[in-house]
Amino acid sequence: MSTPDHEPDAVPSEPSDASFEPVSDHTTHIPIFDADTEEMTASDVSAVENLPAGSAMLLVQRGPDSGARFLLDSDQVSVGRHPDSDIFLDDISVSRRHGVFTRNDSAGGYTVTDLGSLNGTYVNRDRIDSEIALSGGDEVQIGKYRLIYFAGALKGDA
């Protein structure tokens, strides 16, 4: 058995610089978007802050109409590539009758349901197969479109 002809490497010591701080496991700030996404503009922030009670907004974060906003203010809002859709998303990756957003007063917001679309509907990157309640900041993906959901104040909070 041979032995090494050099001493083992020394164990590195921690920096002696007084400004060194260990990495914390605690998060003090939770960003609205992931690090790989765009920041909200001042007008987007204003639009979210001024949403009417009982309504919600979808902000197109990625996709052909990036930056577009869609107000959810009725009991049912259809989304798809069909021109009669309440939210018309003109891209081949979106089914003609892709999904529907439904007001859910008991949950204080909206739910989303896929209507059997070819490419599916995703909430926070998980494909859905039933009605899913949305929370503020959720990402809804419909085809190439990534939309961020923002809920307005509850009717009693306004």
Side-chain angles (χ1 to χ4, degrees):
M1 180 162 125
S2 67
T3 59
D5 42 339
H6 68 279
E7 293 295 318
D9 293 334
V11 177
S13 62
E14 289 191 23
S16 59
D17 183 14
S19 66
F20 173 76
E21 293 181 26
V23 176
S24 172
D25 290 336
H26 302 288
T27 302
T28 57
H29 173 70
I30 300 173
I32 292 176
F33 297 119
D34 292 336
D36 65 337
T37 62
E38 303 290 325
E39 292 291 325
M40 289 178 64
T41 66
S43 65
D44 292 336
V45 172
S46 177
V48 169
E49 290 173 348
N50 294 308
L51 281 171
S55 68
M57 182 181 81
L58 295 169
L59 174 64
V60 180
Q61 176 187 18
R62 295 212 175 176
D65 296 327
S66 185
R69 300 179 202 150
F70 299 102
L71 182 64
L72 304 177
D73 62 351
S74 59
D75 290 339
Q76 284 202 331
V77 179
S78 63
V79 60
R81 193 168 33 94
H82 193 281
D84 291 341
S85 297
D86 297 319
I87 298 176
F88 175 58
L89 300 177
D90 191 16
D91 188 83
I92 193 70
S93 64
V94 178
S95 294
R96 291 175 61 75
R97 305 216 187 274
H98 199 101
V100 65
F101 292 90
T102 305
R103 182 176 291 161
N104 184 343
D105 288 330
S106 64
Y110 280 81
T111 60
V112 63
T113 307
D114 185 82
L115 297 177
S117 67
L118 181 63
N119 290 325
T121 300
Y122 296 78
V123 174
N124 298 325
R125 301 190 183 181
D126 291 326
R127 189 170 183 156
I128 64 170
D129 56 4
S130 62
E131 183 177 60
I132 299 293
L134 296 172
S135 299
D138 281 350
E139 179 188 82
V140 179
Q141 183 173 345
I142 297 173
K144 290 182 181 178
Y145 294 84
R146 287 192 182 174
L147 308 118
I148 304 298
Y149 173 83
F150 296 98
L154 298 175
K155 289 180 182 176
D157 294 344

